[in-house]
Amino acid sequence: MAHSPERPKLYVCNACQTVHAGTVVEHTESGHRYEPPDGCGACDGSEFTLLEDWAHHHG
């Protein structure tokens, strides 16, 4: 069976909508655990929403 690479969690900055790859905070046998960055590299915002939840986000 071919290995399927793990995709990082993606987070959207609530202020400017820039997308960031999550930071790996834990390595486990089943994969990695991600958290949003401390701050947005584009606007210094500090609130993020998971990309998969963005369509349901009411900022």
Side-chain angles (χ1 to χ4, degrees):
M1 182 196 280
H3 175 73
S4 176
E6 179 180 356
R7 294 185 54 103
K9 294 284 184 182
L10 298 177
Y11 295 88
V12 180
C13 173
N14 292 352
C16 72
Q17 300 182 5
T18 299
V19 177
H20 298 273
T23 302
V24 175
V25 294
E26 183 179 11
H27 301 273
T28 67
E29 288 184 20
S30 62
H32 298 92
R33 188 170 63 85
Y34 295 89
E35 287 186 354
D38 292 330
C40 176
C43 75
D44 287 331
S46 61
E47 294 185 32
F48 298 86
T49 301
L50 270 170
L51 181 62
E52 59 215 36
D53 296 334
W54 183 250
H56 306 289
H57 173 71
H58 300 284

